Amino acid sequence: MFDHPQFDAHESVTHLHDRASGLNAIIAVHSTHRGPAAGGCRHWRYATPDAALADALRLSRGMSLKNAMAGLPMGGGKAVILAPAGGKQDGQIAALGRAIDAMGGRYVTAEDVGMTPADMAALGRQTPHVAGLPAASGDATGSPSPATADGVLAGLRAVAAAALGRDGLSGVHVALQGVGAVGGRLARLLHAEGARLTLADLDPARADTLAHELGAATAGAEEILAVPADIVAPNALGAVLNARTIPALRCAAVAGAANNQLETPADGERLARRGILYAPDFIINAGGIIHVTARYLGDAAPEHIQSQVAAIGRRLTHVFEAARDERRRPEQVAEAMALRLIGR
Ligand code: NAI
């Protein structure tokens, strides 16, 4: 493990096996420098155990950077459950909950891919170290998505200023890839600010319905990244910025909620060479983790959460200015800032 390519001085990596339920899981704690390691729990059919370890190592490091740049008193961690062929079992979720509880708060979990609100509630019956539970959050769903969209909107204002010299989003043309939980709300918020929208979704009916409501244009899921627009906002999948898609972009900036938008570090360089401003995803999409951890930390006043989410815009502006001054790319500057914040 210590020579694993994704190992980055992680503080602990726990391999869990529960004989009774057959649970196989990994909890990676990358850093507790700023506080308890927070990061979601993912339930996934990994091709190999090593793929699960790589995911846990990579994602927990990403959470350290994201939480630090969001100004949260939290470190970075991640849990992954190696999904068994027979599907999810309640006993496994309970066993993971007991293991998280035994960590005494060093790791705080939250919902991620493959976990449902019911699974999170099952974890919450075993341990208090679960963020984003509906019951504790005081709202109907506990969903982080609205806060994520609010944070992306704040980020897009900063992007419009830095890339287009615009004060506000009125008249700015944004092409949205994916109008699900985050992208759908973002589209409505942008519409309210007077932005011009082109929408695309793998589910064309979803894009069509929303476009009809907002008077927006639509494009096919295959073409949205190449639509001529001021800003392209990826809100669907990771790795959408790559050697194939970047040459086709016709925008001044890329900024959206999707995690891990750059397929490789070289793709950041490709964007920069084309003069396209990139908003580091782990800064702009932090609204959700701000929302769920605020509630976990017991300061869920809406004003408190809103001010932290709004700070995403100021943080991006700071990163863009530093990148310009230092002649480096925004994601390089952001990573260096985050590493300083976690004492690395
Ligand atoms: P979602 O599943 O509600 O929405 C994703 C939408 O993208 C769906 O409507 C889907 O049909 C569409 N889609 C999938 N592939 C597509 C493609 N190739 N082209 C166009 N549309 C496509 O997911 P959600 O919650 O809105 O998250 C969106 C992205 O933001 C994900 O990458 C997620 O990891 C990231 N994110 C979400 C956060 C949250 O609070 N929900 C927090 C941080 C990141």
Side-chain angles (χ1 to χ4, degrees):
M1 208 253 321
F2 298 112
D3 58 359
H4 193 286
Q6 303 290 342
F7 181 73
D8 176 46
H10 287 68
E11 290 178 16
S12 68
V13 180
T14 311
H15 289 72
L16 299 166
H17 175 68
D18 178 61
R19 200 150 67 97
S21 66
L23 170 77
N24 285 321
I26 300 170
I27 301 176
V29 169
H30 177 255
S31 168
T32 57
H33 183 80
R34 294 175 61 84
C41 175
R42 178 167 289 196
H43 186 276
W44 194 252
R45 282 289 291 280
Y46 290 99
T48 61
D50 186 66
L53 174 63
D55 223 21
L57 294 173
R58 182 178 63 84
L59 294 168
S60 57
R61 178 181 188 273
M63 289 310 301
S64 290
L65 304 186
K66 180 187 286 203
N67 293 340
M69 286 305 274
L72 294 171
M74 308 297 272
K78 199 84 186 179
V80 303
I81 299 176
L82 288 76
K88 209 181 283 168
Q89 316 250 336
D90 283 350
Q92 297 177 350
I93 301 291
L96 180 68
R98 289 193 297 277
I100 292 171
D101 197 57
M103 293 175 77
R106 270 187 78 235
Y107 168 64
V108 179
T109 198
E111 192 175 327
D112 193 42
V113 178
M115 295 291 282
T116 64
D119 294 331
M120 300 315 293
L123 285 176
R125 284 194 284 277
Q126 305 297 330
T127 177
H129 304 301
V130 182
L133 285 178
S137 68
D139 61 30
T141 65
S143 167
S145 306
T148 302
D150 293 350
V152 175
L153 181 75
L156 286 175
R157 291 196 198 104
V159 168
L164 309 165
R166 299 282 278 268
D167 180 14
L169 291 159
S170 180
V172 172
H173 182 189
V174 185
L176 284 89
Q177 180 191 45
V179 286
V182 176
R185 179 180 166 98
L186 179 64
R188 289 194 172 86
L189 294 171
L190 285 167
H191 174 73
E193 301 229 344
R196 191 154 74 83
L197 302 177
T198 302
L199 312 179
D201 198 284
L202 209 52
D203 174 357
R206 188 174 284 176
D208 286 346
T209 306
L210 189 60
H212 184 72
E213 178 193 325
L214 303 179
T218 56
E222 293 306 309
E223 13 171 283
I224 187 70
L225 294 178
V227 162
D230 295 312
I231 304 172
V232 165
N235 303 292
L237 310 166
V240 292
L241 301 171
N242 54 48
R244 190 174 52 82
T245 57
I246 292 170
L249 290 171
R250 285 186 284 167
C251 59
V254 179
N259 279 311
N260 304 315
Q261 290 169 36
L262 298 172
E263 190 170 293
T264 68
D267 297 310
E269 173 66 29
R270 279 193 185 92
L271 284 174
R273 275 205 305 270
R274 288 212 50 209
I276 297 172
L277 186 69
Y278 173 64
D281 44 23
F282 69 88
I283 301 180
I284 196 169
N285 72 13
I289 192 78
I290 289 170
H291 171 92
V292 299
T293 55
R295 290 168 189 277
Y296 174 79
L297 293 168
D299 192 355
E303 322 72 76
H304 172 67
I305 297 176
Q306 277 157 16
S307 76
Q308 281 186 299
V309 170
I312 289 174
R314 290 195 294 283
R315 214 159 271 129
L316 272 179
T317 300
H318 179 55
V319 165
F320 292 147
E321 287 172 357
R324 195 194 49 217
D325 295 348
E326 297 168 23
R327 295 178 186 279
R328 295 203 298 163
R329 306 197 301 272
E331 75 278 9
Q332 293 175 310
V333 168
E335 178 159 334
M337 280 180 184
L339 289 174
R340 272 199 301 279
L341 288 170
I342 63 169
R344 302 260 175 132

mmCIF file of all heavy atoms in Angstrom, residues 31-39 60 63-64 67-68 72-77 342:
data_model
loop_
_atom_site.group_PDB
_atom_site.id
_atom_site.type_symbol
_atom_site.label_atom_id
_atom_site.label_comp_id
_atom_site.label_asym_id
_atom_site.label_seq_id
_atom_site.Cartn_x
_atom_site.Cartn_y
_atom_site.Cartn_z
ATOM 1 N N SER A 31 -6.208 13.043 5.616
ATOM 2 C CA SER A 31 -5.663 14.049 6.531
ATOM 3 C C SER A 31 -6.703 14.449 7.563
ATOM 4 O O SER A 31 -7.880 14.616 7.233
ATOM 5 C CB SER A 31 -5.249 15.296 5.729
ATOM 6 O OG SER A 31 -4.985 16.380 6.613
ATOM 7 N N THR A 32 -6.242 14.561 8.815
ATOM 8 C CA THR A 32 -7.105 15.142 9.858
ATOM 9 C C THR A 32 -6.476 16.437 10.361
ATOM 10 O O THR A 32 -6.773 16.891 11.458
ATOM 11 C CB THR A 32 -7.309 14.159 11.039
ATOM 12 O OG1 THR A 32 -6.026 13.799 11.553
ATOM 13 C CG2 THR A 32 -8.066 12.915 10.609
ATOM 14 N N HIS A 33 -5.591 17.026 9.549
ATOM 15 C CA HIS A 33 -4.883 18.241 9.958
ATOM 16 C C HIS A 33 -5.860 19.360 10.353
ATOM 17 O O HIS A 33 -5.638 20.078 11.315
ATOM 18 C CB HIS A 33 -3.996 18.705 8.802
ATOM 19 C CG HIS A 33 -3.157 19.902 9.116
ATOM 20 N ND1 HIS A 33 -1.977 19.828 9.820
ATOM 21 C CD2 HIS A 33 -3.330 21.224 8.838
ATOM 22 C CE1 HIS A 33 -1.462 21.041 9.954
ATOM 23 N NE2 HIS A 33 -2.260 21.905 9.361
ATOM 24 N N ARG A 34 -6.951 19.485 9.599
ATOM 25 C CA ARG A 34 -7.893 20.583 9.869
ATOM 26 C C ARG A 34 -9.089 20.134 10.708
ATOM 27 O O ARG A 34 -9.900 20.968 11.117
ATOM 28 C CB ARG A 34 -8.422 21.163 8.547
ATOM 29 C CG ARG A 34 -7.343 21.858 7.734
ATOM 30 C CD ARG A 34 -7.900 22.308 6.398
ATOM 31 N NE ARG A 34 -8.997 23.259 6.510
ATOM 32 C CZ ARG A 34 -8.850 24.573 6.660
ATOM 33 N NH1 ARG A 34 -7.648 25.094 6.704
ATOM 34 N NH2 ARG A 34 -9.901 25.360 6.756
ATOM 35 N N GLY A 35 -9.227 18.826 10.927
ATOM 36 C CA GLY A 35 -10.370 18.330 11.690
ATOM 37 C C GLY A 35 -10.717 16.924 11.243
ATOM 38 O O GLY A 35 -9.963 16.298 10.492
ATOM 39 N N PRO A 36 -11.843 16.414 11.702
ATOM 40 C CA PRO A 36 -12.237 15.057 11.320
ATOM 41 C C PRO A 36 -12.260 14.897 9.799
ATOM 42 O O PRO A 36 -12.645 15.818 9.078
ATOM 43 C CB PRO A 36 -13.657 14.929 11.881
ATOM 44 C CG PRO A 36 -13.779 15.986 12.908
ATOM 45 C CD PRO A 36 -12.851 17.098 12.527
ATOM 46 N N ALA A 37 -11.848 13.738 9.338
ATOM 47 C CA ALA A 37 -11.791 13.486 7.895
ATOM 48 C C ALA A 37 -13.205 13.261 7.376
ATOM 49 O O ALA A 37 -13.857 12.296 7.761
ATOM 50 C CB ALA A 37 -10.927 12.261 7.629
ATOM 51 N N ALA A 38 -13.670 14.170 6.531
ATOM 52 C CA ALA A 38 -15.035 14.066 6.006
ATOM 53 C C ALA A 38 -15.006 13.705 4.532
ATOM 54 O O ALA A 38 -14.191 14.226 3.769
ATOM 55 C CB ALA A 38 -15.776 15.391 6.196
ATOM 56 N N GLY A 39 -15.897 12.823 4.146
ATOM 57 C CA GLY A 39 -16.023 12.455 2.737
ATOM 58 C C GLY A 39 -17.009 11.316 2.602
ATOM 59 O O GLY A 39 -17.193 10.518 3.523
ATOM 60 N N SER A 60 -10.137 10.286 -1.153
ATOM 61 C CA SER A 60 -9.935 10.858 0.186
ATOM 62 C C SER A 60 -8.967 12.044 0.105
ATOM 63 O O SER A 60 -9.149 13.055 0.789
ATOM 64 C CB SER A 60 -9.420 9.804 1.164
ATOM 65 O OG SER A 60 -8.215 9.225 0.701
ATOM 66 N N MET A 63 -10.871 14.940 -1.106
ATOM 67 C CA MET A 63 -11.712 15.557 -0.069
ATOM 68 C C MET A 63 -10.896 16.447 0.849
ATOM 69 O O MET A 63 -11.392 17.473 1.329
ATOM 70 C CB MET A 63 -12.441 14.479 0.746
ATOM 71 C CG MET A 63 -13.550 13.768 -0.003
ATOM 72 S SD MET A 63 -14.738 14.850 -0.841
ATOM 73 C CE MET A 63 -15.380 15.809 0.539
ATOM 74 N N SER A 64 -9.636 16.076 1.125
ATOM 75 C CA SER A 64 -8.781 16.964 1.939
ATOM 76 C C SER A 64 -8.652 18.321 1.254
ATOM 77 O O SER A 64 -8.756 19.376 1.898
ATOM 78 C CB SER A 64 -7.377 16.371 2.101
ATOM 79 O OG SER A 64 -7.376 15.252 2.922
ATOM 80 N N ASN A 67 -12.230 20.192 1.135
ATOM 81 C CA ASN A 67 -12.675 20.718 2.428
ATOM 82 C C ASN A 67 -11.800 21.880 2.878
ATOM 83 O O ASN A 67 -12.291 22.857 3.459
ATOM 84 C CB ASN A 67 -12.673 19.598 3.475
ATOM 85 C CG ASN A 67 -13.729 18.546 3.174
ATOM 86 O OD1 ASN A 67 -14.673 18.808 2.433
ATOM 87 N ND2 ASN A 67 -13.575 17.360 3.734
ATOM 88 N N ALA A 68 -10.492 21.779 2.597
ATOM 89 C CA ALA A 68 -9.594 22.869 2.979
ATOM 90 C C ALA A 68 -9.943 24.142 2.212
ATOM 91 O O ALA A 68 -10.054 25.231 2.797
ATOM 92 C CB ALA A 68 -8.148 22.471 2.706
ATOM 93 N N LEU A 72 -13.472 24.669 5.544
ATOM 94 C CA LEU A 72 -14.122 23.856 6.575
ATOM 95 C C LEU A 72 -13.099 23.351 7.595
ATOM 96 O O LEU A 72 -11.966 23.035 7.226
ATOM 97 C CB LEU A 72 -14.806 22.647 5.920
ATOM 98 C CG LEU A 72 -15.976 22.977 4.996
ATOM 99 C CD1 LEU A 72 -16.425 21.732 4.239
ATOM 100 C CD2 LEU A 72 -17.136 23.547 5.821
ATOM 101 N N PRO A 73 -13.527 23.217 8.847
ATOM 102 C CA PRO A 73 -12.626 22.642 9.863
ATOM 103 C C PRO A 73 -12.661 21.114 9.781
ATOM 104 O O PRO A 73 -12.905 20.429 10.780
ATOM 105 C CB PRO A 73 -13.229 23.152 11.174
ATOM 106 C CG PRO A 73 -14.695 23.236 10.893
ATOM 107 C CD PRO A 73 -14.825 23.615 9.432
ATOM 108 N N MET A 74 -12.446 20.583 8.602
ATOM 109 C CA MET A 74 -12.552 19.144 8.354
ATOM 110 C C MET A 74 -11.382 18.697 7.494
ATOM 111 O O MET A 74 -10.925 19.444 6.621
ATOM 112 C CB MET A 74 -13.846 18.807 7.586
ATOM 113 C CG MET A 74 -15.142 19.329 8.148
ATOM 114 S SD MET A 74 -15.545 18.684 9.774
ATOM 115 C CE MET A 74 -16.444 17.202 9.405
ATOM 116 N N GLY A 75 -10.942 17.475 7.730
ATOM 117 C CA GLY A 75 -9.945 16.867 6.870
ATOM 118 C C GLY A 75 -10.626 16.114 5.735
ATOM 119 O O GLY A 75 -11.786 16.373 5.414
ATOM 120 N N GLY A 76 -9.866 15.159 5.160
ATOM 121 C CA GLY A 76 -10.408 14.438 4.015
ATOM 122 C C GLY A 76 -10.366 12.938 4.208
ATOM 123 O O GLY A 76 -9.345 12.388 4.639
ATOM 124 N N GLY A 77 -11.472 12.286 3.908
ATOM 125 C CA GLY A 77 -11.536 10.833 3.987
ATOM 126 C C GLY A 77 -12.545 10.299 2.993
ATOM 127 O O GLY A 77 -13.234 11.072 2.314
ATOM 128 N N ILE A 342 -3.461 22.210 4.432
ATOM 129 C CA ILE A 342 -3.470 20.958 5.201
ATOM 130 C C ILE A 342 -2.056 20.601 5.690
ATOM 131 O O ILE A 342 -1.787 19.463 6.070
ATOM 132 C CB ILE A 342 -4.096 19.771 4.422
ATOM 133 C CG1 ILE A 342 -3.300 19.422 3.172
ATOM 134 C CG2 ILE A 342 -5.544 20.066 4.066
ATOM 135 C CD1 ILE A 342 -3.738 18.086 2.533
#
